[in-house]
Amino acid sequence: MENIIPVLLVVGGLIYKIYQNYQEEMEKAKKRQQNMPKSTTPKTVVANPRTTTAKRRDTASPTPRTPQPTYDRTLGRPKPTKIARRPVELPEKMVLQHEVPAEVSRMRAQRAQQKLAKKIEVVPVAEAVAERQQAHFDLRQAVIHAAILERPYAD
């Protein structure tokens, strides 16, 4: 309880300092805005007046009607409108036929050979298991070798 009062005072002091810095920054911002020149209204350009002989065509297209949304009482808002989805036909890819320089084709061939050289040979599992089974393991000989390497009474 005795330690709470100093902690609250320190926290209150920090909050007060932050508030003061905020107020100072707001005052600086107001001064900067006052020093900025005010923008003038854009000049309007007067178009050439139409002559009586020139007739203007009505090129405005009619605006499409948007359906009025229906209100859903359970959701408390209008129901979302469904959008009809149509498949889009994409144009076929254009293949550019151009002549490839000899050096480029030579480098491509070299890279292909390097990839083949780096390729790891994959051995099917059945062959690997068969090779392991062919290897002969002599348990008696293994126990003898272990006894020689780890002599139990070597002290």
Side-chain angles (χ1 to χ4, degrees):
M1 189 69 177
E2 296 172 2
N3 294 337
I4 293 177
I5 294 173
V7 170
L8 289 176
L9 288 174
V10 170
V11 171
L14 287 174
I15 293 173
Y16 182 70
K17 270 294 201 192
I18 292 171
Y19 180 73
Q20 276 184 337
N21 288 338
Y22 175 75
Q23 291 296 330
E24 289 174 7
E25 290 297 322
M26 292 303 289
E27 289 174 8
K28 288 179 185 177
K30 285 181 184 177
K31 287 180 183 176
R32 273 186 257 133
Q33 286 179 355
Q34 288 174 355
N35 292 339
M36 295 287 290
K38 295 194 178 190
S39 63
T40 59
T41 58
K43 296 180 182 178
T44 57
V45 177
V46 177
N48 294 336
R50 283 192 275 162
T51 60
T52 57
T53 57
K55 293 183 180 179
R56 185 173 183 187
R57 281 196 231 170
D58 209 9
T59 58
S61 62
T63 57
R65 294 179 128 192
T66 57
Q68 295 294 329
T70 56
Y71 190 77
D72 187 4
R73 292 183 184 190
T74 58
L75 293 175
R77 60 177 182 231
K79 288 183 181 178
T81 57
K82 292 185 179 180
I83 299 172
R85 297 185 183 253
R86 289 180 241 131
V88 177
E89 294 181 19
L90 299 175
E92 294 182 21
K93 291 184 178 178
M94 293 178 49
V95 180
L96 298 177
Q97 298 292 334
H98 61 278
E99 189 175 319
V100 178
E103 185 176 341
V104 172
S105 60
R106 184 175 50 82
M107 291 298 293
R108 286 180 182 169
Q110 284 179 355
R111 286 187 186 140
Q113 288 175 357
Q114 289 174 354
K115 284 183 182 179
L116 288 175
K118 289 181 181 179
K119 210 174 220 182
I120 298 173
E121 185 179 340
V122 178
V123 179
V125 176
E127 291 178 13
V129 171
E131 288 177 10
R132 287 185 184 170
Q133 289 176 352
Q134 289 175 357
H136 180 65
F137 182 75
D138 188 8
L139 182 61
R140 180 176 176 268
Q141 194 66 25
V143 170
I144 293 171
H145 288 295
I148 292 171
L149 292 173
E150 301 172 11
R151 295 178 183 252
Y153 309 109
D155 292 330

